[in-house]
Amino acid sequence: ERTTSALPPLALVGAPRPRPLLPPEGGSIPPEAMAMYNTPNLAHAGEPHPFDSPFEVMKALRRDFNELAAAFKAEQQQRAVEVQQLRQEVSVLRDQIPKEKLERQTICHQIVNDLTQLRSDHIKGLDEIKTNFGSSLHQLNQILQDEMRDRKAQDSLRDTREATEKSERISEAAAIKNDIGKHKQVF
């Protein structure tokens, strides 16, 4: 034989509740209902009452249901607090966004100005370097031209001096040769 207790299904939240079979938690059962349980049934003496087991199951289900309902309510309250905290946090963040946006725009504007100034300074410095380099190159070119002219003049002067000395040496050698030739004739 299969023994299953026919328990009514649990009522859904918000659905009308049927009349409870058990008294509310902590309530008492009316005495006339208890008399039915207190009178011994002589036909079944020593046997447990057939409704004791379902009654215990119903009490356990009610206890479990009450625990689950309390846990659900606590969970709902916790979630409500968390939602409220998140809403406050979102509100604070929304208030901070415009301030941070303005701050970042100011910083970006300052960076752009600094970069523009830096670029201008670099271009100016580069132009100065080019000008100085060009001027130095021109001066160096002038110095080289002067040095080349001086060397050519010195070379020309040296060549002239050498040519003069050579011609003097030749004329001296010729004079010495004539003198020697005269001295030879005299001897």
Side-chain angles (χ1 to χ4, degrees):
E1 284 179 280
R2 191 169 164 196
T3 58
T4 57
S5 59
L7 297 176
L10 293 175
L12 298 174
V13 177
R17 292 185 168 183
R19 186 168 175 237
L21 299 174
L22 295 176
E25 191 77 25
S28 62
I29 298 175
E32 56 275 353
M34 286 303 291
M36 175 174 65
Y37 290 110
N38 289 334
T39 57
N41 189 348
L42 297 177
H44 301 291
E47 289 184 20
H49 194 278
F51 291 126
D52 285 345
S53 177
F55 182 67
E56 290 301 320
V57 170
M58 287 176 55
K59 284 191 342 187
L61 285 173
R62 177 176 290 252
R63 195 172 37 252
D64 291 346
F65 177 77
N66 288 339
E67 288 174 5
L68 287 172
F72 179 70
K73 187 168 185 163
E75 185 74 21
Q76 276 184 326
Q77 289 174 349
Q78 182 181 357
R79 296 297 171 239
V81 168
E82 289 174 356
V83 166
Q84 184 61 29
Q85 289 173 345
L86 289 173
R87 283 184 180 153
Q88 288 174 350
E89 190 175 333
V90 167
S91 175
V92 167
L93 290 174
R94 281 187 178 158
D95 290 342
Q96 289 176 349
I97 286 174
K99 294 174 188 173
E100 190 172 330
K101 180 181 176 185
L102 179 64
E103 187 177 304
R104 286 177 188 241
Q105 284 177 338
T106 303
I107 290 170
C108 286
H109 183 69
Q110 184 64 37
I111 288 172
V112 166
N113 287 342
D114 291 347
L115 286 175
T116 303
Q117 182 65 36
L118 185 64
R119 184 171 184 252
S120 172
D121 291 346
H122 280 123
I123 290 173
K124 184 178 178 183
L126 188 61
D127 288 343
E128 287 178 12
I129 289 172
K130 284 180 181 178
T131 303
N132 290 340
F133 182 72
S135 174
S136 297
L137 192 61
H138 180 68
Q139 288 175 354
L140 182 61
N141 192 25
Q142 287 295 334
I143 290 170
L144 286 174
Q145 293 296 325
D146 292 345
E147 182 69 23
M148 285 170 52
R149 258 185 271 122
D150 289 347
R151 285 188 182 190
K152 281 183 182 179
Q154 286 177 357
D155 287 347
S156 174
L157 184 62
R158 187 188 69 229
D159 290 344
T160 305
R161 203 177 317 132
E162 285 177 0
T164 306
E165 283 180 15
K166 184 178 179 182
S167 65
E168 283 178 9
R169 300 275 182 269
I170 292 174
S171 61
E172 283 176 4
I176 291 175
K177 191 175 182 184
N178 285 339
D179 284 344
I180 292 179
K182 281 184 193 176
H183 280 283
K184 276 186 182 182
Q185 284 176 2
V186 173
F187 285 116

